Amino acid sequence: QVQLVESGGGLVQAGGSLRLSCAASGRSFSSAVMAWFRQTPGKEREFVAGITWRGGGTMYADSVKGRFTISRDNAKSTMYLQMNSLKPEDTAVYYCAANSRTQVMLYQRKNEYDYWGQGTQVTVSP
């Protein structure tokens, strides 16, 4: 079992930065692939970034490459998403997710992830 709690969302102007955190509890965190997704009203939840269990492998959606950085600290059971050069189109509820069935396979399909946080709102004003 893994419980996930996101924090760090808020309101920021375009061009600004935010860092999201995902605090995990449960013994499976350090051996799970983790990811960030986001969702806006009326749209499907979309993949943003993913990271393998030791952090050696990462994957990003094209829309955030070069602006967002995913990382994790297994000693603190926490995953991060550093978001720079934010744009209004980054506005969404951001969710962290865990795939406890793999340590190294990075999937963009949300159905591959079996644990989810409650989400944190990120709003980027023009």
Side-chain angles (χ1 to χ4, degrees), residues 40-96:
T40 54
K43 292 190 176 181
E44 289 287 320
R45 191 169 297 187
E46 66 173 2
F47 175 85
V48 175
I51 189 166
T52 56
W53 71 303
R54 287 182 174 177
T58 58
M59 178 187 291
Y60 296 93
D62 288 343
S63 58
V64 306
K65 277 181 185 176
R67 301 188 298 122
F68 290 11
T69 302
I70 189 171
S71 62
R72 66 191 294 168
D73 185 339
N74 287 343
K76 296 182 179 180
S77 297
T78 303
M79 176 180 65
Y80 305 97
L81 185 68
Q82 178 66 45
M83 305 186 294
N84 298 329
S85 302
L86 282 161
K87 305 175 181 180
E89 50 264 43
D90 295 318
T91 295
V93 177
Y94 283 71
Y95 297 89
C96 68

Side-chain angles (χ1 to χ4, degrees), residues 7-36:
S7 62
L11 174 63
V12 64
Q13 287 188 327
S17 298
L18 281 175
R19 188 175 82 154
L20 305 183
S21 298
C22 173
S25 60
R27 298 170 63 181
S28 301
F29 171 81
S30 61
S31 61
V33 162
M34 301 292 295
W36 289 98

Side-chain angles (χ1 to χ4, degrees), residues 89-110:
E89 50 264 43
D90 295 318
T91 295
V93 177
Y94 283 71
Y95 297 89
C96 68
N99 183 345
S100 64
R101 295 183 290 266
T102 180
Q103 295 178 340
V104 296
M105 295 302 294
L106 289 166
Y107 297 105
Q108 296 194 26
R109 297 185 299 273
K110 60 182 184 296

